[in-house]
């Protein structure tokens, strides 16, 4: 006979308390809670199985009932089965129970012993052969009985069926590397015959090694990204410092400009006041002289009036000669009054002011460029065999003898070019090159992917942004259509500035602190490298080297 079922109401309440069912499950959720409980243990299903009559039980609970009875029948409806049914886990029901546990907050973290009748104790081990979990007391036969000692024990697990082959109901002790799945010994002589199988422990150790390697890779990636964060923070700090300095410089510049404007305005007003005062003084003198002459002329007019009516003939004749004497007056039409400051004078003053402002702006602009100075060293692996590089990599000149060097892919074999070692693909950079005593040279930047063999045309389309000098005073910006120009003063040192994101390459005369030329609106792809070409010696006229100079910020 099967063991009797516990009385539902009282026993179920006790089981609810033992598994800590929330109060909400005893009200609106109560019916669902009861439907998901095993009729034998009155606990939420663990590895539920459904028998032919349609009722479901915990697999271990049902096995215990049938193991203790000669007949197999449903503990709930008492339907008898002629043959003991093959029990398969109802995976759908198990998922529902698991979801219910997660949603309701029911916690059954401990694996309980499948053999304990009354108060179930915590399971210590699970047996893959018996497919049951045992507390310390019920595990004792597996340590004592020879047949049971051969069974494979593992730490207690809740989903024991996951460790059992569904097809052969044997422990999954092996791993098939061909199919990348766990198998039982019977599988190796059936579906996985002649496959590469190894013990589960061996594969686990190998997987652990791979996991440790992946973990090391992940940890390295974490370190790399943390370093990247530090680099970004450091870059941000430098940007803030540079911005702060640029702000101070800008304020200083505009303060200087305002003072220059105020000084020029003051000087202009002072000149205008001086000219006005001089004109007013001249006007006063002229008016005074004119008034004196008018007084004298009125006196003469009065005398002439009296003489014209004289009846004394002798007196008239005697006075006539004195009246006819020349009158001492100036030639007033030849006298001019100084006019106020002319419009041309004001324009000249404003032009001078504009030149002063432009000069101040150019000087400040160059100082800002210098904040982004980089240390440039020539790359010997790119140098044409006819070029001679200094030991420190800071000077390059044309040699009379072609050097015996490897013809590596990076080297220019026809054009006498050389690139810098250091490339950059973001941000800003600035470097200076001394071109003193040279009559011809090329300078600028070049894309890493430029053609380095054979004759080369220098254009932005070909990856070169360069300026050149020919015949001592003819300068050319090598645009798609070259721009030819001359400079009032021959530069002795050229500053090259690049803003990668802005697509800008600018050239400056360092000594005069003046702008020479800029390539604007460019699109850069890949790294850019400093570019140099000293050109041939030209019978000694152009033998001086190009020299990469250290940047002195306050030079």
């Amino acid at each position: 006979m099967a063991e009797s079922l516990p009385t539902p109401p009282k026993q179920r309440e006790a089981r609810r308390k033992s598994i800590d069912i929330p109060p909400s499950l005893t009200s609106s959720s109560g019916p669902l809670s009861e439907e998901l409980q095993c009729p034998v243990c009155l606990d939420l299903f663990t590895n539920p199985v459904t028998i032919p009559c349609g009722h479901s039980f915990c697999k271990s609970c049902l096995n215990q009932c049938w193991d203790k009875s000669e007949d197999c029948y449903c503990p709930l409806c008492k339907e008898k089965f002629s043959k003991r049914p093959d029990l398969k886990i109802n995976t759908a029901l198990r998922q529902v129970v698991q979801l219910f546990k997660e949603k309701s907050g029911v916690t059954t973290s401990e694996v309980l012993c499948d053999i304990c009748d009354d108060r179930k104790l915590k399971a210590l081990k699970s047996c893959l052969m018996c497919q049951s979990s045992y507390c310390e007391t019920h595990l004792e036969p597996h340590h004592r009985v020879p047949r049971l000692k051969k069974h494979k024990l593992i730490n207690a697990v809740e989903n024991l069926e996951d460790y059992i082959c569904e097809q052969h109901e044997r422990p999954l002790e092996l791993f098939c590397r061909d199919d990348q799945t766990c198998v039982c010994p019977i599988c190796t002589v059936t579906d996985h015959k002649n496959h590469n199988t190894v013990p589960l422990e061996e594969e686990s150790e190998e997987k652990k090694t791979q996991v440790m390697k992946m973990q090391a890779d992940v940890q390295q990636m974490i370190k790399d990204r943390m370093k990247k964060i530090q680099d970004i923070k450091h870059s941000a700090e430098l940007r803030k410092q540079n911005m702060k300095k640029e702000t101070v410089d800008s304020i200083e510049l505009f303060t200087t400009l305002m003072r220059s404007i105020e000084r020029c305005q003051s000087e202009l007003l002072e000149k205008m006041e001086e000219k006005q005062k001089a004109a007013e003084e001249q006007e006063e003198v002229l008016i005074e002289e004119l008034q004196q002459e008018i007084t004298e002329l009125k006196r003469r007019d009065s005398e002439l009036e009296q003489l014209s009516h004289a009846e004394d003939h002798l007196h008239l004749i005697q006075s006539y000669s004195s009246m006819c004497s020349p009158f001492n007056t100036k030639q007033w039409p030849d006298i001019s009054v100084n006019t106020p400051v002319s419009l041309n004078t004001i324009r000249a003053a404003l032009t001078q002011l504009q030149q002063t402002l432009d000069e101040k702006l150019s000087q400040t602009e160059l100082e800002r460029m210098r904040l982004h100075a980089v240390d440039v060293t020539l790359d010997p692996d790119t140098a044409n065999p006819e070029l001679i590089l200094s030991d420190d990599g800071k000077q390059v000149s044309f040699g009379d003898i072609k050097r015996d060097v490897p013809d590596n892919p990076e080297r220019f074999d026809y054009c006498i070019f050389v690139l810098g070692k250091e490339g950059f693909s973001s941000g800003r950079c600035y470097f200076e090159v001394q071109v003193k005593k040279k009559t011809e040279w090329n300078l600028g930047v070049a894309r890493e992917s430029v053609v380095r063999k054979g004759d080369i045309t220098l254009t932005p389309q070909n990856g070169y942004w360069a300026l050149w000098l020919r015949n001592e005073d003819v300068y050319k910006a090598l645009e798609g259509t070259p721009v030819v120009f001359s400079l009032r003063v021959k530069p002795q040192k050229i500053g090259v500035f690049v803003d990668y994101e802005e697509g800008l390459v600018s050239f400056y005369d360092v000594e005069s602190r003046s702008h020479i030329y800029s390539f604007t609106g460019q699109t850069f792809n890949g790294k850019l490298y400093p570019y140099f070409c000293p050109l041939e010696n030209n019978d000694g006229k152009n033998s001086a080297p190009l020299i990469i100079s250290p940047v002195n910020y306050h030079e």
Side-chain angles (χ1 to χ4, degrees):
M1 295 294 292
E3 61 180 22
S4 60
L5 294 176
T7 306
K10 194 171 183 180
Q11 294 291 342
R12 292 191 181 201
E13 183 62 26
R15 294 304 298 168
R16 286 195 187 97
K17 292 181 180 179
S18 66
I19 61 174
D20 191 23
I21 296 179
S24 60
L25 299 184
T26 61
S27 55
S28 61
S29 298
L32 177 59
S33 159
E34 294 180 1
E35 290 298 329
L36 297 180
Q37 291 178 7
C38 173
V40 175
C41 66
L42 300 182
D43 202 345
L44 293 177
F45 284 120
T46 299
N47 298 328
V49 292
T50 303
I51 56 178
C53 65
H55 293 120
S56 298
F57 305 86
C58 294
K59 184 177 181 181
S60 59
C61 293
L62 191 59
N63 280 329
Q64 289 181 44
C65 290
W66 288 350
D67 289 341
K68 296 178 181 180
S69 174
E70 297 179 355
D71 300 321
C72 293
Y73 57 88
C74 174
L76 193 62
C77 69
K78 303 300 188 290
E79 180 179 343
K80 188 175 181 180
F81 308 115
S82 59
K83 181 181 178 182
R84 184 165 179 166
D86 185 17
L87 301 180
K88 298 293 184 180
I89 302 297
N90 188 331
T91 56
L93 182 56
R94 183 177 66 178
Q95 290 177 356
V96 172
V97 172
Q98 184 62 32
L99 181 62
F100 177 81
K101 290 179 180 180
E102 293 175 357
K103 294 295 184 181
S104 63
V106 176
T107 57
T108 55
S109 57
E110 291 186 351
V111 179
L112 302 179
C113 177
D114 292 327
I115 307 302
C116 293
D117 289 331
D118 298 328
R119 181 175 176 272
K120 289 184 176 291
L121 299 178
K122 178 182 177 181
L124 186 64
K125 294 287 184 179
S126 295
C127 177
L128 297 182
M129 300 297 292
C130 300
Q131 299 184 28
S132 297
S133 298
Y134 303 98
C135 64
E136 185 175 4
T137 301
H138 292 114
L139 183 64
E140 188 271 335
H142 280 76
H143 296 310
R144 176 174 49 80
V145 180
R147 179 178 60 83
L148 296 179
K149 290 172 70 175
K150 297 179 181 180
H151 288 190
K152 186 173 182 61
L153 299 175
I154 61 172
N155 291 331
V157 293
E158 182 176 357
N159 298 327
L160 190 57
E161 70 281 357
D162 292 343
Y163 296 79
I164 306 299
C165 175
E166 292 185 1
Q167 184 176 0
H168 305 113
E169 295 190 354
R170 296 289 301 275
L172 297 172
E173 299 175 343
L174 303 170
F175 183 79
C176 177
R177 289 179 171 174
D178 293 343
D179 295 332
Q180 290 293 299
T181 186
C182 297
V183 296
C184 73
I186 299 178
C187 292
T188 60
V189 294
T190 55
D191 296 342
H192 297 268
K193 187 177 181 179
N194 298 326
H195 286 192
N196 180 17
T197 57
V198 295
L200 210 57
E201 292 80 1
E202 179 181 337
E203 183 66 20
S204 177
E205 289 300 320
E206 184 170 331
K207 287 290 193 292
K208 282 183 181 179
T209 302
Q210 296 175 2
V211 168
M212 292 174 65
K213 183 179 182 302
M214 289 189 292
Q215 183 182 17
D217 293 341
V218 170
Q219 290 175 350
Q220 185 61 46
M221 292 171 67
I222 293 173
K223 290 180 180 179
D224 293 342
R225 280 150 182 76
M226 291 179 67
K227 183 179 182 301
K228 190 67 175 178
I229 290 174
Q230 293 301 319
D231 291 343
I232 293 173
K233 289 182 178 179
H234 179 65
S235 176
E237 184 62 30
L238 289 179
R239 187 187 70 252
K240 289 179 182 178
Q241 293 177 3
N242 291 340
M243 183 64 69
K244 184 177 180 181
K245 178 158 184 40
E246 287 188 10
T247 302
V248 172
D249 290 343
S250 298
I251 293 174
E252 182 179 350
L253 167 65
F254 285 107
T255 301
T256 302
L257 294 179
M258 290 301 297
R259 288 174 180 171
S260 297
I261 293 172
E262 291 172 356
R263 184 174 61 254
C264 291
Q265 182 183 25
S266 177
E267 290 175 356
L268 182 60
L269 292 174
E270 186 177 347
K271 288 181 180 179
M272 294 175 67
E273 289 176 356
E274 289 177 355
K275 289 182 177 291
Q276 181 67 21
K277 184 176 180 181
E280 290 175 354
E281 290 176 352
Q282 185 181 14
E283 291 168 355
E284 291 176 359
V285 171
L286 292 176
I287 291 172
E288 185 178 353
E289 290 179 356
L290 285 168
Q291 287 177 343
Q292 290 176 357
E293 288 190 2
I294 290 171
T295 301
E296 184 63 26
L297 288 171
K298 285 183 177 180
R299 185 185 63 79
R300 177 70 62 91
D301 180 64
S302 178
E303 291 177 351
L304 291 173
E305 176 67 23
Q306 292 177 5
L307 189 61
S308 66
H309 295 87
E311 296 180 356
D312 185 344
H313 301 295
L314 178 63
H315 175 70
L316 184 140
I317 292 173
Q318 290 175 341
S319 301
Y320 177 79
S321 57
S322 62
M323 292 295 180
C324 292
S325 60
F327 191 75
N328 186 22
T329 60
K330 292 182 179 180
Q331 298 296 323
W332 291 108
D334 296 331
I335 297 175
S336 62
V337 178
N338 290 331
T339 60
V341 178
S342 67
L343 182 59
N344 289 336
T345 302
I346 296 175
R347 286 175 177 170
L350 291 175
T351 301
Q352 181 62 41
L353 176 59
Q354 184 63 46
Q355 291 176 351
T356 302
L357 295 179
D358 290 343
E359 181 180 353
K360 292 291 184 182
L361 286 170
S362 295
Q363 292 176 3
T364 303
E365 184 179 20
L366 183 57
E367 293 303 320
R368 288 180 179 175
M369 303 300 106
R370 287 180 160 185
L371 290 173
H372 305 284
V374 294
D375 183 20
V376 176
T377 304
L378 299 171
D379 185 357
D381 291 337
T382 66
N384 180 282
E386 295 182 277
L387 293 179
I388 300 175
L389 274 59
S390 62
D391 293 338
D392 62 359
K394 299 296 184 180
Q395 301 185 29
V396 58
S397 58
F398 184 80
D400 296 326
I401 301 175
K402 190 172 184 178
R403 297 177 296 119
D404 184 15
V405 293
D407 185 20
N408 50 284
E410 296 83 10
R411 192 179 307 283
F412 293 95
D413 64 349
Y414 180 78
C415 294
I416 48 178
F417 299 166
V418 63
L419 301 181
K421 280 185 179 180
E422 300 79 10
F424 58 96
S425 56
S426 63
R428 302 170 180 173
C429 79
Y430 174 85
F431 59 94
E432 294 178 351
V433 183
Q434 180 178 305
V435 295
K436 190 175 181 180
K437 297 182 180 180
K438 292 196 67 65
T439 60
E440 297 182 335
W441 48 257
N442 299 352
L443 283 176
V445 293
R447 191 184 296 125
E448 183 179 24
S449 60
V450 293
V451 175
R452 309 193 185 197
K453 307 300 181 182
D455 196 9
I456 298 171
T457 301
L458 302 180
T459 63
Q461 291 75 15
N462 291 337
Y464 292 88
W465 292 266
L467 199 70
W468 79 5
L469 168 67
R470 296 293 185 272
N471 301 324
E472 296 191 33
D473 61 356
V474 178
Y475 295 87
K476 183 182 291 187
L478 302 177
E479 295 271 13
T481 301
V483 179
V484 181
F485 56 91
S486 60
L487 299 176
R488 182 173 56 85
V489 178
K490 183 178 180 180
Q492 302 299 303
K493 186 184 290 185
I494 301 293
V496 183
F497 173 75
V498 180
D499 188 324
Y500 197 96
E501 281 73 23
E502 290 295 327
L504 174 69
V505 181
S506 296
F507 298 84
Y508 293 84
D509 181 344
V510 175
E511 293 186 352
S512 67
R513 300 187 179 185
S514 59
H515 175 257
I516 298 175
Y517 189 83
S518 287
F519 293 85
T520 59
Q522 305 298 306
T523 300
F524 301 131
N525 296 313
K527 283 189 175 182
L528 297 179
Y529 289 83
Y531 156 76
F532 309 86
C533 174
L535 288 173
E536 297 179 355
N537 291 337
N538 194 15
D539 296 329
K541 295 180 182 179
N542 191 43
S543 59
L546 291 174
I547 303 174
I548 301 171
S549 304
V551 177
N552 299 317
Y553 179 70
H554 293 292
E555 182 177 293

